[in-house]
Amino acid sequence: MPNRLAEATSPYLLQHADNPIDWQPWSAEAFAEARRRDVPVLLSVGYAACHWCHVMAHESFEDAATAEQVNRDFVAIKVDREERPDVDAVYMAAVQAMTGHGGWPMTCFLTPEGEPFHCGTYYPPTPRHGMPGFRQLLDAVTTAWTRDGERVRTGAAEIARSLASVELPAPAAVSPEVLDEAVATLAREFDDVHGGFGGAPKFPPSMVLEALLRHHERTGSAQALALVVRTGEAMARGGIHDQLVGGFARYSVDAGWVVPHFEKMLYDNALLLRVYAHLARRTGSALFARVARDTAEFLLRDLRTPEGGFASALDADTDGTEGLTYAWTPAQLAEVLTPEDATWAAQLLEVTEAGTFEHGSSTLQLRRDPDDPQRWQRIRTVLAAARSLRPQPARDDKVVTAWNGLAVQSLAEAGAALDHPEWVAAAGECADLLLGLHRVDGRLRRSSRDGVVGAAAGVLDDHACLAEGLLALHQATGDPARLTAAVELLDLAVAHFAGPDGTWFDTADDAEALLHRPRDITDNATPSGAAAMANALLTASVLTDGGHRDRAEEALRVAGGLLPRHARFAGHWLTAAEAMAAGPLQVAIALGAPDPGVPELVARARALAPGGAVVVAGVPDAPGVPLLADRPLVDGVPAAYVCRGFVCDRPVTSPDELAGLLR
């Protein structure tokens, strides 16, 4: 019989609806039951595309004997970390404090008051590699609870108090010298052999690359550009990049980008689309333009939902086996290609008899440009078609507001910069879904699925990332309604998430009370909500001529101490700081009658304006577009007005003059 997850909207919770464990969703009722029965809570947190979550589910959660023990001695709660990032953040802090590391699946034992007393991640069914077996751990927790429950509760309360008392770093001014120091820190931590930062596992440093590119644009730093180009090329040519149909996996298990952890996440691909589009625009590289195009097509083809939003992820596993869809052997190439093509493709894609992955199979890499591009395109098409006949990974169809906001921003910016109006149109449809479905009674919800909005309240990054997306969409289309909606979201966030002295909380002031109110300022796989808010506030201040800049500056001061020492975890802060140091640059283009095409002045501005700049085009004094106010045509022809901060150049009417100003 299905358990109490059967009515959930989360695909991750639904994956566990038929477990013999009597899972409950996070709710006051579950904790009330724990108090009534005087038993601890087993909290399990994961997400639908998580490989080790699946492994623990198969080994333990589907086991009848384990389920009997859990159901007898605990109240079991299952949480989708993507649907409830607030719950995840609170208890991940506990896991990291107790173990020194974190990850998913997250396994926490709580008092009926929600206070953690023992936390970890994956546990095997039997003792292995120094870890206790899961049932062995259940026995130990039950024994401690029944024999020494008062001490357990006292310790848990102390842990809860210590978690709530974590302080932010001391505020510091963000000067150009601080930004230079952050770049120097990144250069020291750079992997000169493989690109990227740190060792294995290696994650795409999307936000850091965007910041470095902006630093190059502002200062001319060849070093900053080299770090971006080296990393961008290494990722594009490695196994982390799907060489057949586009899109990037979550991370590489090795330092050389060869073997990915195969889940494909919306947020990674949205952030990487933005980076590669900006790299292509700045360098003119055909490789980077192709990767941007392939990534956008992956989003539109494989993650787009019927409602116009974007699904959260493709699973790491296929039929319980990681990489089953993606890996190849020489023999498998020979099954679908001619002998000559199979040999040529194996050499080009580094598919060897020994293999680079598991069981003699290889991931596909493209470490050099093919000597016959037409042959490669033909072979690529054949391999992609053959792969489509294999079993395919499951898709998490949950539409998360923040991640869709990232997709809106990336598609709008990339579509405008690389002249793909269909990407901009898709961004607009996604924005319409989020504004129409995810706003309920004037407040933003976290997610939806199949056109049904979920119950979880939106958190800070939902408001900030959607606002960033709407501001980008306004610039790509000139639609004043997008600007109005973005400002409304920012005002809503200020009312419910802003803390004292430039700080921001991740949950609203009227949200469900947890052990403490989280406020994480460091970037993780996605931008921190506070950093995204700083970016959105800064952009809005330029577009509206309004009073948001002070709040953006205050937020940056709060993160200022983080930037020079921990730049790898503050990339999105650095993007805002670089834009602020550059002005930000404003480009307002006054046009004649609305043009269904893209006038040359507009195309040149979008191609050359640095990241963080604001570009808006439309008829003079267009209603609802403050940047076009009092900016008339010049001698009856379209004109571009370029300003940095509060200093403006004279208006220009030729694309070459505009290019000179932007360079």
Side-chain angles (χ1 to χ4, degrees):
M1 293 292 292
N3 56 40
R4 283 177 270 191
L5 302 182
E7 300 301 318
T9 57
S10 159
Y12 175 65
L13 298 190
L14 291 173
Q15 287 176 357
H16 295 271
D18 292 317
N19 289 171
I21 292 177
D22 186 19
W23 293 114
Q24 300 186 47
W26 179 273
S27 64
E29 291 77 13
F31 286 97
E33 180 182 334
R35 287 191 293 272
R36 178 178 57 80
R37 291 172 52 196
D38 190 24
V39 296
V41 170
L42 166 62
L43 173 65
S44 176
V45 183
Y47 58 102
C50 167
H51 170 70
W52 286 102
C53 299
H54 298 327
V55 171
M56 191 167 178
H58 296 320
E59 291 175 340
S60 295
F61 301 154
E62 296 171 5
D63 176 67
T66 303
E68 181 181 3
Q69 185 175 358
V70 169
N71 294 340
R72 181 186 66 234
D73 297 333
F74 301 87
V75 168
I77 297 177
K78 179 65 76 170
V79 168
D80 182 342
R81 66 170 295 264
E82 299 171 348
E83 191 174 58
R84 291 300 305 264
D86 51 343
V87 173
D88 178 67
V90 166
Y91 291 101
M92 183 57 71
V95 173
Q96 292 170 334
M98 293 182 191
T99 68
H101 59 86
W104 299 274
M106 186 201 307
T107 306
C108 293
F109 295 92
L110 319 177
T111 69
E113 289 70 43
E115 297 165 336
F117 60 87
H118 185 87
C119 295
T121 53
Y122 163 80
Y123 291 99
T126 55
R128 189 189 308 158
H129 306 306
M131 293 183 289
F134 186 55
R135 294 192 63 190
Q136 183 182 37
L137 176 63
L138 296 176
D139 282 335
V141 170
T142 300
T143 298
W145 182 262
T146 55
R147 294 183 181 177
D148 203 4
E150 189 60 35
R151 183 181 62 82
V152 171
R153 288 177 183 269
T154 300
E158 180 58 34
I159 291 169
R161 282 192 293 272
S162 66
L163 291 172
S165 64
V166 175
E167 296 184 358
L168 298 175
V174 180
S175 63
E177 291 74 23
V178 167
L179 299 181
D180 291 341
E181 188 178 348
V183 172
T185 299
L186 292 169
R188 288 193 299 270
E189 297 175 351
F190 187 71
D191 182 344
D192 289 317
V193 177
H194 303 294
F197 303 91
K202 187 171 280 183
F203 293 81
S206 309
M207 292 160 277
V208 168
L209 297 181
E210 182 72 24
L212 286 168
L213 192 55
R214 290 190 181 187
H215 187 80
H216 161 72
E217 292 172 327
R218 182 176 64 84
T219 67
S221 168
Q223 180 188 47
L225 180 61
L227 299 180
V228 183
V229 169
R230 177 73 183 91
T231 302
E233 182 170 354
M235 291 192 301
R237 295 191 180 282
I240 192 173
H241 180 219
D242 192 329
Q243 304 295 344
L244 297 185
V245 300
F248 287 83
R250 172 78 276 267
Y251 63 86
S252 173
V253 301
D254 58 278
W257 310 107
V258 177
V259 178
H261 190 52
F262 288 93
E263 59 192 341
K264 287 182 177 179
M265 311 302 295
L266 170 60
Y267 51 76
D268 284 317
N269 285 280
L271 291 165
L272 285 166
L273 167 60
R274 189 181 189 212
V275 169
Y276 279 101
H278 292 172
L279 258 176
R281 180 183 64 170
R282 185 57 53 218
T283 65
S285 163
L287 171 64
F288 296 148
R290 175 179 62 78
V291 173
R293 183 181 63 251
D294 288 349
T295 305
E297 291 177 356
F298 163 73
L299 291 175
L300 296 172
R301 180 190 60 245
D302 293 344
L303 292 186
R304 203 171 190 198
T305 69
E307 296 78 26
F310 293 91
S312 295
L314 298 183
D315 209 328
D317 299 353
T318 304
D319 292 348
T321 302
E322 189 175 13
L324 179 65
T325 302
Y326 302 103
W328 293 80
T329 64
Q332 289 172 325
L333 293 178
E335 290 175 1
V336 296
L337 300 172
T338 66
E340 296 79 9
D341 280 351
T343 299
W344 186 83
Q347 293 174 344
L348 178 68
L349 299 170
E350 304 203 12
V351 178
T352 66
E353 291 294 341
T356 58
F357 182 46
E358 296 176 348
H359 312 299
S361 64
S362 296
T363 61
L364 301 188
Q365 303 173 70
L366 194 65
R367 295 296 179 181
R368 57 182 172 83
D369 289 329
D371 52 24
D372 186 342
Q374 290 184 334
R375 185 182 190 185
W376 162 235
Q377 288 304 319
R378 175 174 54 80
I379 288 174
R380 186 187 189 208
T381 301
V382 172
L383 293 179
R387 198 182 78 179
S388 70
L389 301 177
R390 295 177 174 180
Q392 299 296 306
R395 188 172 86 159
D396 182 342
D397 286 329
K398 181 172 70 273
V399 174
V400 174
T401 302
W403 306 350
N404 275 257
L406 295 175
V408 170
Q409 181 181 24
S410 295
L411 287 167
E413 290 185 4
L418 303 181
D419 192 23
H420 281 274
E422 71 278 13
W423 300 353
V424 178
E429 292 179 20
C430 181
D432 289 339
L433 173 71
L434 299 174
L435 293 172
L437 180 64
H438 287 214
R439 283 194 300 188
V440 179
D441 297 329
R443 299 297 292 273
L444 202 58
R445 297 280 180 90
R446 174 68 176 175
S447 63
S448 67
R449 184 168 184 257
D450 294 336
V452 178
V453 71
V459 294
L460 180 62
D461 71 341
D462 293 311
H463 294 74
C465 292
L466 179 52
E468 283 199 90
L470 291 168
L471 294 170
L473 197 56
H474 167 67
Q475 295 176 67
T477 64
D479 184 353
R482 304 304 190 187
L483 179 59
T484 299
V487 171
E488 289 174 352
L489 277 176
L490 294 176
D491 290 343
L492 187 66
V494 168
H496 291 287
F497 294 88
D501 303 320
T503 60
W504 292 86
F505 289 99
D506 291 326
T507 56
D509 54 359
D510 55 356
E512 174 190 358
L514 301 172
L515 284 182
H516 61 90
R517 195 176 175 193
R519 50 176 184 177
D520 188 358
I521 67 169
T522 58
D523 294 329
N524 202 296
T526 57
S528 81
M533 188 57 65
N535 275 274
L537 289 166
L538 181 61
T539 302
S541 74
V542 180
L543 287 168
T544 63
D545 217 13
H548 295 293
R549 186 181 177 100
D550 288 346
R551 283 195 177 273
E553 291 178 345
E554 289 175 357
L556 273 168
R557 278 195 295 271
V558 171
L562 191 70
L563 304 189
R565 296 189 303 276
H566 304 288
R568 282 174 57 190
F569 308 101
H572 212 57
W573 286 111
L574 289 169
T575 63
E578 288 289 347
M580 187 171 290
L585 184 75
Q586 300 172 323
V587 184
I589 302 175
L591 301 174
D595 189 333
V598 179
E600 183 60 24
L601 271 179
V602 179
R604 192 69 65 93
R606 290 172 174 172
L608 296 179
V614 167
V615 179
V616 175
V619 297
D621 299 308
V625 187
L627 211 60
L628 295 173
D630 299 320
R631 282 177 168 143
L633 304 181
V634 173
D635 296 330
V637 299
Y641 296 77
V642 178
C643 304
R644 291 170 175 81
F646 300 101
V647 180
C648 297
D649 294 302
R650 66 175 179 82
V652 297
T653 57
S654 80
D656 289 342
E657 287 180 300
L658 175 59
L661 292 178
L662 294 178
R663 290 195 180 101

